[in-house]
Amino acid sequence: MSASTVGSVRRDGNQVFVPLEVMERVGKATFEASGCSAEEASTIITRLAGANLRGHDSHGVIRVPRYVQWIDEGRQIPNQTVEVLQDQPSFAIVDGRFGFGQSIGEQTVDIGIAKAKAHGVAMTALRNSGHLGRIGDWAERAAAEGIVSIHMVNVRGSLIVAPFGGIDRRGSTNPFCAGIPMPDGDPIILDFATSLVAEGKALVALKGGKALPAGSLVDADGTITSDPTPLYGETPPGTYPDPSRGPGALRAFGDHKGFGMNFLMEMMAGALTGSGTAGALGEEQARPFCNGMFSIYVDLGAVTGVAPHMGHPFAEEVRNYVAFVKSARPTEPGGEVLIPGEKEKKVMAERLQTGLPLAAEAWDDIVATARAKGMNDVDLG
Ligand code: NAD
């Protein structure tokens, strides 16, 4: 059985469509065979597949082989719980102990939610977390509890982004995310990397998936390009593309202003949390990979009960403004103005029907990883 004919996976040229249940079964078994508890294995693959469902393939199942490699190398440790280093009424400093971000993120955000519910406003500072994946997951988790949240993330040990006006790598993709709960509907989720594209989008492009926007990278000689290869350099056979190897860099988004946001993430999520910045001078180069995350939580119930709202309740004010923004005339004939998070909802509705579209090569890598962890044709279905 070839990788791309596993179960009900449908192939269309260089692309495959993987039903959600197939992906979750293969992924769960792979992570369990790698040492994760059944619960953690399920959480990891559900969150990765959830990123694909929302159109963020960069933070989806394409990461399965890399996560497994990280477990094997001891860089990401299964079944960890956060260590609470400081526990104050409205803030906590926690250490993720290099556990899976999918578990560590949940635990951290749940601490923030509980504190915000008790005191109206809270803050969590997370250090040494494994890869936190799609940060929108954390804003959605808080929003489901009626909590507005802001998350600032840095990526220590992943030096892949050049500063505005520079060629050399000095930072990482450092995402920013915020979530606004809506009592009568899906929350509004703003969630983006502060590099022009997330690293995983370069990985997707390298694997034959969606091409990168013009000018996403800078090569070692300063040439601006959309070719992802300068980020990875040569990938030796039998290994997965490693962005630490390439001679080039991703570029920060939004010129000097976007670079300023990217820099701010290092200050808040790297320096202030104690997780450490992506700085790689001297001994710092040896710092192991982790996400740091600085989060702020505001309990809407507590705040809207006391704050004046220009005559409208919060939810109505938000709804009215959304409608006002969306009424702007589109620049493209037949186009539509979208608000943050709206694109993800549209993609999700579509992908729940079609299955997860993946480059065949990315799916082949996932199946090869599953087989290496002992799955056979029967297990793969
Ligand atoms: P992106 O460029 O697709 O931007 C996404 C944001 O833009 C969303 O809020 C989306 O709703 C909004 N958006 C998209 N199209 C829009 C339109 N037409 N009109 C208005 N708004 C629109 O995302 P990205 O920068 O590639 O980031 C992808 C994911 O990668 C994110 O989930 C991020 O959290 C994640 N990430 C994680 C890490 C990590 O270390 N854990 C690092 C970097 C990025």
Side-chain angles (χ1 to χ4, degrees), residues 225-306:
T225 175
S226 61
D227 176 8
T229 321
L231 189 62
Y232 299 96
E234 288 298 312
T235 299
T239 65
Y240 294 102
D242 180 350
S244 70
R245 290 203 192 106
L250 292 173
R251 298 175 66 220
F253 86 114
D255 296 332
H256 54 294
K257 304 177 195 184
F259 163 63
M261 289 282 289
N262 180 278
F263 183 87
L264 183 70
M265 300 305 120
E266 292 293 346
M267 299 297 97
M268 305 303 285
L272 187 58
T273 62
S275 200
T277 65
L281 302 173
E283 284 177 12
E284 306 293 296
Q285 200 110 36
R287 285 179 165 182
F289 174 94
C290 77
N291 272 153
M293 179 162 77
F294 176 81
S295 305
I296 299 169
Y297 310 81
V298 180
D299 182 11
L300 259 185
V303 173
T304 56
V306 291

Side-chain angles (χ1 to χ4, degrees), residues 56 58-59 131-136 155 173 175 189-193 198 201 291 338-344:
H56 290 297
S58 58
H59 285 68
H131 190 243
L132 286 160
R134 173 185 167 261
I135 306 305
V155 202
T173 52
I189 303 290
L190 173 67
D191 175 26
F192 57 82
K201 287 210 163 91
N291 272 153
L338 301 178
I339 58 156
E342 203 176 353
K343 185 172 174 200
E344 284 77 4

